[in-house]
Amino acid sequence: MATESEARKEAIRSLRLWGIDSTIRQEHTRFQEKTLMVVAQCFSGRQQEMQRSKPKMLPDDPNLAVKMVLRAEVKDFNKPRYRLLEDNIKDPSLLFQYPYYSKLHTSFDPDLFASGKLNYVVKLAFKKINKRELDPLARFSEKLCTKKELFLDRWMNPDSGESVQGHIIEAIIVSHAIYNEACYNCKARKVLRWNGGPGAPWTDMECICCDSAYYIQGGCYAGFHNLHGQSRKNGWKHYLVLVSRMKSFALFPDKGPGFHQCRTVQIAEIKTVLPRLQPSCFIDGVYKDRRMTIKSEIKTKISPITWFKIPYQPVSYASILMQVMEEFFPGVAEELAVGALNFELDEADTDRAAEQAVEVDVEKNVPNTEEPQGDKSSMEDLRSLLQNMATADSWEDLSD
């Protein structure tokens, strides 16, 4: 696990990527101090304790598993108020992206170069925007919304960090593993269970024999420390699980002769995570009565390796999604003015989900600072997106 000093250093780097510079403005100094206090609480054990949830079975039918996971996400996510984040930048291609990137100083001073200190430069696309507009404390705002509006915004935006693709991947992986795979740590069979949902962001799957946890998508920085502070059996391990981007084929005797298309599931043990700020931090961080939720960058012990392969099965997840939305928010399908949607989860979906869990080794290199942060859509954009989804052959048609 990273030391508090390493976590503080990474938090400051993340602040700088968003434009928070404590050497320039007093407001920035106060915000940095609050951010570092939140990070310090993760090491002091004073962070909010999360109750350990009970592992469950998922159906072996991937369609039913997807529906169960989506239902749990909506049912278990409850807040006193729901808010939508807004970016005041007008260019839709730049929404919710950090405007700076970091690089090593190019000074000819050998001592400065050897120190590894970073220089922060405005990205080319943001240079046309006034720096005051880029200040994250003024750039982001929020508006109250209903729970329905929140889930429409989250799930219908394919570039969202909390988009529905990640939940689809989670359901498919866990459903297969429960009935077909052994725990990667203790090697016992029939012991894997689903443990996902809003209440278990770092344990999407869990072994009921050795307590090892499997992370597929989602998870805040404090939640990681909370998990590692829980009482668990000696020898338990924490793994990152993701789906390979490469198409592959394998023999599946129960599927008939010859090679069959499949998805390769990879795994690596998590070494630690480092704090990474997200746009909502710059709203929550200015209110004394709000808890700032910081996201994470994952650092694994080794590069992910193949764990198992899943036979490819078309999942009509758009129709399942609309069924779940209609169950909790009656009339939403009519409001969006779309009919029955039915298309397959394609490789582009797995690409997006895999990109949410990226190995980062800051001891060896600087993480990719050009990574997109996603964008948001209005209700009209959502209608257009859903209608495109109804006729697209794959997600690749939707990502342009």
Side-chain angles (χ1 to χ4, degrees):
M1 186 176 293
T3 65
E4 183 175 349
S5 175
E6 291 171 330
R8 286 173 57 90
K9 181 179 178 181
E10 182 60 21
I12 292 173
R13 190 191 74 85
S14 184
L15 286 166
R16 291 296 303 274
L17 292 176
W18 283 106
I20 296 292
D21 187 349
S22 62
T23 65
I24 296 178
R25 295 184 57 187
Q26 188 175 4
E27 295 90 340
H28 287 195
T29 301
R30 289 196 294 266
F31 188 86
Q32 178 170 302
E33 289 173 350
K34 181 170 183 176
T35 301
L36 296 180
M37 180 181 68
V38 172
V39 171
Q41 288 175 349
C42 295
F43 291 86
S44 67
R46 295 197 306 270
Q47 72 271 20
Q48 182 178 350
E49 185 176 354
M50 297 190 327
Q51 185 177 1
R52 186 171 174 180
S53 58
K54 184 178 180 179
K56 312 173 189 68
M57 296 290 287
L58 281 182
D60 58 355
D61 183 328
N63 288 277
L64 296 178
V66 166
K67 189 170 185 178
M68 182 173 173
V69 169
L70 294 183
R71 289 189 78 258
E73 285 296 321
V74 181
K75 181 181 178 181
D76 298 341
F77 186 86
N78 295 293
K79 301 285 185 182
R81 292 184 179 87
Y82 301 97
R83 300 177 175 90
L84 283 177
L85 192 66
E86 295 183 322
D87 190 337
N88 297 323
I89 286 181
K90 304 303 180 184
D91 188 338
S93 67
L94 302 178
L95 295 178
F96 300 97
Q97 297 185 39
Y98 45 78
Y100 292 82
Y101 69 95
S102 58
K103 64 178 182 179
L104 289 175
H105 277 282
T106 56
S107 170
F108 289 104
D109 184 337
D111 293 332
L112 184 60
F113 184 81
S115 70
K117 291 185 177 180
L118 299 175
N119 185 30
Y120 295 87
V121 182
V122 178
K123 294 178 183 178
L124 181 63
F126 285 90
K127 287 189 175 180
K128 59 186 177 182
I129 302 174
N130 188 296
K131 283 194 174 183
R132 290 190 177 184
E133 296 181 46
L134 295 181
D135 186 338
L137 299 184
R139 173 181 168 183
F140 300 110
S141 58
E142 65 180 8
K143 65 178 181 180
L144 292 177
C145 67
T146 64
K147 187 175 181 178
K148 179 184 72 174
E149 291 171 333
L150 180 69
F151 274 91
L152 282 172
D153 185 77
R154 284 186 170 188
W155 283 6
M156 305 306 180
N157 177 7
D159 292 322
S160 170
E162 303 203 35
S163 64
V164 72
Q165 291 95 333
H167 303 308
I168 303 295
I169 294 297
E170 175 185 333
I172 293 174
I173 291 176
V174 178
S175 174
H176 173 89
I178 286 175
Y179 297 95
N180 299 281
E181 306 299 334
C183 172
Y184 194 80
N185 182 39
C186 70
K187 310 307 178 186
R189 303 191 69 84
K190 308 297 183 183
V191 295
L192 296 175
R193 299 291 186 271
W194 178 59
N195 197 28
W202 283 98
T203 52
D204 299 307
M205 185 165 63
E206 188 170 351
C207 174
I208 59 174
C209 182
C210 70
D211 274 356
S212 288
Y214 298 82
Y215 162 94
I216 300 173
Q217 57 102 26
C220 67
Y221 186 68
F224 175 85
H225 284 266
N226 185 288
L227 171 69
H228 283 256
Q230 292 176 351
S231 176
R232 289 180 174 262
K233 296 176 182 178
N234 292 333
W236 80 280
K237 293 183 180 180
H238 198 185
Y239 295 103
L240 165 67
V241 179
L242 53 96
V243 179
S244 172
R245 300 184 186 188
M246 302 296 294
K247 289 183 179 181
S248 59
F249 294 83
L251 293 170
F252 297 97
D254 58 328
K255 300 294 181 182
F259 288 86
H260 299 268
Q261 186 176 348
C262 62
R263 296 186 177 93
T264 300
V265 177
Q266 298 178 311
I267 191 169
E269 186 176 353
I270 296 175
K271 182 177 181 180
T272 190
V273 298
L274 293 168
R276 178 181 186 179
L277 273 76
Q278 58 181 339
S280 62
C281 293
F282 303 104
I283 298 292
D284 297 336
V286 298
Y287 291 96
K288 293 182 179 180
D289 59 340
R290 290 200 198 176
R291 183 169 59 93
M292 185 190 298
T293 301
I294 299 176
K295 290 292 186 179
S296 307
E297 288 186 350
I298 301 173
K299 185 176 179 181
T300 60
K301 292 186 176 181
I302 62 172
S303 297
I305 59 176
T306 298
W307 182 15
F308 57 84
K309 297 179 183 290
I310 302 178
Y312 177 81
Q313 297 185 39
V315 177
S316 55
Y317 94 79
S319 59
I320 296 173
L321 169 61
M322 292 310 300
Q323 290 173 22
V324 173
M325 292 291 284
E326 189 68 25
E327 175 185 350
F328 288 93
F329 314 113
V332 68
E334 183 178 352
E335 181 181 348
L336 292 171
V338 295
L341 304 179
N342 188 353
F343 61 96
E344 297 178 356
L345 176 69
D346 202 29
E347 275 67 32
D349 293 69
T350 62
D351 291 354
R352 294 179 189 277
E355 286 168 359
Q356 295 178 17
V358 180
E359 177 195 4
V360 175
D361 189 342
V362 297
E363 294 178 352
K364 296 181 180 178
N365 56 66
V366 177
N368 180 12
T369 58
E370 296 292 343
E371 179 186 356
Q373 298 297 304
D375 60 4
K376 298 287 178 182
S377 303
S378 65
M379 184 61 74
E380 291 299 323
D381 295 329
L382 295 178
R383 290 193 184 96
S384 176
L385 173 62
L386 281 171
Q387 290 175 352
N388 289 339
M389 287 161 61
T391 57
D393 292 330
S394 73
W395 271 105
E396 293 169 354
D397 298 335
L398 307 174
S399 58
D400 294 335

